Amino acid sequence: MTQAPRVTLSGGIDMPQLGFGLYKVPAEDAARLAGEALGAGYRSLDTAAMYGNEAGVGLAVAEAADGGLPREDVFVTTKLWNSDQGYDPALRAFDRSLSALGLDYVDLYLIHWPCPARGLFVETYRALERLLEDGRVRAIGVSNFQPEHLRRLAAECTVMPAVNQIELHPWLQQDLLKTVHAELGIRTEAWSPLGRGRILRDPVIAEIAAAHGVSPAQAVVRWHLQCGHIVIPKASSPERIRENADVFGFELTADDLDRIAGLDRGERTGSDPSEVN
Ligand SMILES: NC(=O)C1=CN([C@@H]2O[C@H](COP(=O)(O)OP(=O)(O)OC[C@H]3O[C@@H](n4cnc5c(N)ncnc54)[C@H](OP(=O)(O)O)[C@@H]3O)[C@@H](O)[C@H]2O)C=CC1
Ligand SMILES: O=C(O)C(=O)[C@@H](O)[C@H](O)C(=O)CO
């Protein structure tokens, strides 16, 4: 594939705009599929302590390094799980993730969910600031944070999150959050960018894809890129992994973008952040 464009995060770190997501990739398959993704040209891998597959991701990075792809050319994201919130628990959780990954540093470390009922996300975020200061992570950010959570970090912390990773796809376009991100200098990263596969059956997406001679998944990944989102589709076969990254030979028209804008119906395919604690 043509290498994905890179976006510059608020701290000055570059991140590939397209990455490979590993939610629900079994631990025993993670090294192989992450390795397929790197072989197909992806340069960003998205895992989490909760996915139970950090070790496989780290192995793929190490094997790629042995094969000539330097560690510093691969962008690794992992996430702190909800039960590890709090300042000291967060530092310990990071040590465990780093050790599972077998890496010296992580490129991007995220708080997985705000868990407002726990009341710990601000102090947890301060632990991430400490990791950044200590050079153990290159960038820090959050996931599933709502405007009120982001505004608390803006008021009470020193470093703004570089990204907020949120559910985002044509059926859930998140205009309000994207406006708040733009105001606060936070990059929008789309999780479940294919709506867990469901969007691919939308007739408007199918029509747009057919008009460009591409698959529905390719049309949706392309839509994310043209909207400026960081996008991390997951797939379980080498063919789909390659297909989802083969999105640089066509461009959606202004009319395509208008039609996809009309698909927003506020529909989640994953959990609602206000209900996760
Ligand atoms: N921060 C957070 O809270 C969350 C983060 N994430 C991150 O976002 C990533 C992506 O989201 P995810 O929920 O996995 O869902 P996606 O929206 O990426 O969709 C994945 C689904 O689409 C299918 N699919 C992928 N490519 C194709 C294709 N070309 N043609 C047909 N079907 C296809 C996959 O099938 P198959 O696997 O069978 O190939 C799978 O069922 C996660 O893996 C994770 O890294 C996800 C959820 C929450
Ligand atoms: O994949 C993740 O990172 C998640 O946290 C989720 O998948 C989450 O548990 C969910 O949305 C389940 O529907």
Side-chain angles (χ1 to χ4, degrees):
M1 92 181 193
T2 311
Q3 287 288 301
R6 300 178 76 86
V7 293
T8 302
L9 307 180
S10 50
I13 301 297
D14 277 353
M15 176 174 183
Q17 204 186 343
L18 173 66
F20 180 61
L22 283 107
Y23 176 51
K24 290 236 162 118
V25 172
E28 61 276 19
D29 295 337
R32 179 178 56 83
L33 291 178
E36 289 285 355
L38 295 174
Y42 293 74
R43 290 293 176 267
S44 168
L45 302 170
D46 183 84
T47 183
M50 189 272 255
Y51 302 170
N53 57 25
E54 288 170 311
V57 170
L59 189 58
V61 174
E63 285 175 355
D66 288 344
L69 178 66
R71 158 70 184 98
E72 55 273 21
D73 288 359
V74 183
F75 192 99
V76 177
T77 300
T78 193
K79 315 185 191 87
L80 173 119
W81 189 238
N82 306 343
S83 49
D84 292 317
Q85 286 213 16
Y87 189 87
D88 289 328
L91 294 178
R92 287 196 293 270
F94 177 77
D95 285 343
R96 286 196 301 277
S97 281
L98 201 61
S99 153
L101 285 158
L103 299 175
D104 299 332
Y105 65 91
V106 161
D107 293 279
L108 176 61
Y109 195 43
L110 305 179
I111 300 179
H112 207 138
W113 294 86
C115 304
R118 289 179 190 257
L120 292 171
F121 69 81
V122 173
E123 65 172 272
T124 305
Y125 191 76
R126 291 208 176 101
L128 269 60
E129 290 183 312
R130 165 78 187 275
L131 293 169
L132 183 68
E133 210 176 289
D134 291 349
R136 305 184 75 204
V137 298
R138 296 177 68 230
I140 56 175
V142 294
S143 177
N144 300 303
F145 273 45
Q146 300 305 294
E148 65 274 22
H149 311 135
L150 297 172
R151 292 200 189 287
R152 273 202 65 192
L153 296 184
E156 297 177 43
C157 297
T158 311
V159 180
M160 276 311 287
V163 308
N164 187 16
Q165 187 185 106
I166 54 173
E167 180 174 354
L168 172 56
H169 45 68
W171 291 351
L172 181 70
Q173 298 191 21
Q174 301 270 26
D175 291 344
L176 170 62
L177 259 174
K178 284 174 62 176
T179 304
V180 175
H181 292 171
E183 182 198 324
L184 298 176
I186 299 170
R187 277 275 176 182
T188 303
E189 181 170 17
W191 65 251
S192 292
L194 310 176
R196 299 202 159 141
R198 284 178 229 167
I199 306 296
L200 309 180
R201 295 191 291 273
D202 188 294
V204 171
I205 298 292
E207 255 181 51
I208 291 172
H212 289 276
V214 298
S215 70
Q218 289 172 318
V220 174
V221 172
R222 183 75 216 174
W223 172 78
H224 282 287
L225 295 174
Q226 287 185 221
C227 290
H229 311 153
I230 298 165
V231 57
I232 47 171
K234 174 252 182 183
S236 304
S237 71
E239 294 73 23
R240 284 182 173 178
I241 289 173
R242 282 197 293 274
E243 175 185 322
N244 296 347
D246 183 11
V247 292
F248 299 103
F250 70 102
E251 187 151 15
L252 300 179
T253 64
D255 183 51
D256 296 332
L257 297 176
D258 279 350
R259 292 183 72 200
I260 298 176
L263 297 180
D264 191 9
R265 55 196 209 208
E267 184 170 320
R268 293 184 186 279
T269 61
S271 305
D272 183 328
S274 65
E275 290 166 8
V276 175
N277 274 292

